[in-house]
Amino acid sequence: MILGSSESEERQRERRFVSAEDVARLAGVSRSAVSRTFTPGASVAPLTRDKVMRAAEHLGYQVNDLARAVLNNHSRLVGIVATNPELGFRAHLAAALAKALIQRGSIPILINTGQTEEELLAAQKTLIGHRAEATIILSGSTPKNFVDLAHRNGQSIVAIGRSEPGADQVRVGNTAAAAKAAEMFVRRGHRLLGIAGSHSGTPSITERETGFVQAGKALGATVVVAKGQNTDYAGGLEAARQLLCGDDRLEAVFCVNDQIAFGLMDFARSELGLSIPNDLAVIGFDDVPEASWLSYRLTTFRQDPVLMARQAVDLIDRRFANPDAAPFTESVVPELVTRLSAT
């Protein structure tokens, strides 16, 4: 059935959102009285407020935050920019950030972007165009003018797990944790070590790779490096083939995240018949929920997504209160969780 123009317009009117004018009409007050009622700190008579609130509840009215953002040139939107946010620890961190931002009264917007300069700039322009209050970066190497463009538009930047000049940061002790993994292996008599990394080249992954290699060599161990294409399960399978199918019989492997560790462990046991930890000790990084599964029982370094989300939100508040201050930094010390894979 094809609707006539008048009937179609009527249907559109039926679907529209309840407006402040609707509330004012039902409450018998002015439009400005409705606006003042929903503006924190604004002056409004108790009787008027009561009329407006009862009318709003009856109609199901909600404040138009987008309209307020246009008027104030500022919104409660906070962008979360991530590559593959559905994978591994990043998924848990994105979920924790969304929850923390909602509790703060913000509206989180997740932008699933690539790692190229063009993709990251496009994400940023989208957030600035919607007058987002802040951007939280979880991955990718930001372009040089990323932070400057944000600052010129009054938008704060929080980088998690990376050092970003000019941005507020939640730093993770990647290098120290990787060095601790090497020390643990050597202390338990392992001298031929491997590291399963990836070609992603993200700051966190690079810090873990470099920290392990340097510490292992300084302790007199031989360190063999292998990298999968991505920092995921498939990348772990690739790295395992490189590390475990050669002439060298590795004794222990540090994996730059748990997803890689899962792929490496499955390959070692299913394809090569190795026993973990008897034939090969394995340490991961992140402590995602699957790390405790009976199939893996992975020794790994724990990052707390709830703590990191809380720190990121705190940085947004501190920047709002001190817009001209030097960059703020919060630090996270990953905790070693010992399980069966490296006892």
Side-chain angles (χ1 to χ4, degrees), residues 225-257:
V225 179
K227 297 184 180 184
Q229 186 60 38
N230 297 305
T231 319
D232 55 11
Y233 185 89
L237 294 176
E238 293 178 52
R241 290 188 184 93
Q242 299 171 40
L243 290 172
L244 305 178
C245 293
D247 296 331
D248 296 324
R249 179 67 180 271
L250 297 185
E251 301 163 339
V253 177
F254 173 58
C255 301
V256 295
N257 77 354

Side-chain angles (χ1 to χ4, degrees), residues 140-304:
S141 298
T142 56
K144 293 180 180 179
N145 63 340
F146 194 99
V147 175
D148 179 62
L149 181 60
H151 288 170
R152 283 190 278 120
N153 282 275
Q155 185 186 81
S156 65
I157 298 289
V158 177
I160 297 183
R162 58 193 300 120
S163 177
E164 195 68 53
D168 299 321
Q169 303 165 24
V170 176
R171 297 299 311 278
V172 178
N174 293 304
T175 302
K180 187 173 182 178
E183 292 166 4
M184 180 177 172
F185 284 149
V186 172
R187 186 170 62 249
R188 297 183 180 182
H190 304 309
R191 295 294 173 181
L192 185 53
L193 313 180
I195 178 167
S198 84
H199 290 291
S200 66
T202 62
S204 291
I205 297 304
T206 299
E207 288 177 0
R208 295 169 200 172
E209 292 170 347
T210 302
F212 184 82
V213 171
Q214 291 180 347
K217 290 181 177 179
L219 292 167
T222 299
V223 182
V224 180
V225 179
K227 297 184 180 184
Q229 186 60 38
N230 297 305
T231 319
D232 55 11
Y233 185 89
L237 294 176
E238 293 178 52
R241 290 188 184 93
Q242 299 171 40
L243 290 172
L244 305 178
C245 293
D247 296 331
D248 296 324
R249 179 67 180 271
L250 297 185
E251 301 163 339
V253 177
F254 173 58
C255 301
V256 295
N257 77 354
D258 290 348
Q259 301 299 314
I260 282 185
F262 300 151
L264 181 135
M265 293 172 71
D266 284 346
F267 183 90
R269 291 180 298 200
S270 300
E271 299 297 323
L272 303 178
L274 298 179
S275 172
I276 296 173
N278 296 327
D279 297 324
L280 182 70
V282 180
I283 294 178
F285 202 108
D286 286 337
D287 194 30
V288 297
E290 296 88 340
S292 66
W293 289 3
L294 294 179
S295 298
Y296 297 111
R297 289 179 280 190
L298 177 65
T299 293
T300 184
F301 288 92
R302 174 168 173 73
Q303 298 190 88
D304 186 342

Side-chain angles (χ1 to χ4, degrees), residues 20 22 28 48 57 61 65 70 78 89 92 124 139-140 160 173 210 213-214 299 335:
D22 297 329
T48 300
E57 183 177 358
Y61 170 73
D65 287 321
V70 172
V78 174
F89 176 74
H92 301 284
Q124 184 187 36
S139 56
I160 297 183
T210 302
V213 171
Q214 291 180 347
T299 293
E335 172 191 0

Side-chain angles (χ1 to χ4, degrees), residues 10-30:
E10 181 64 26
R11 289 285 181 88
Q12 289 297 325
R13 282 195 293 272
E14 290 175 359
R15 293 173 184 163
R16 68 181 179 83
F17 288 100
V18 178
S19 69
E21 285 79 3
D22 297 329
V23 176
R25 190 178 304 112
L26 180 60
V29 300
S30 66

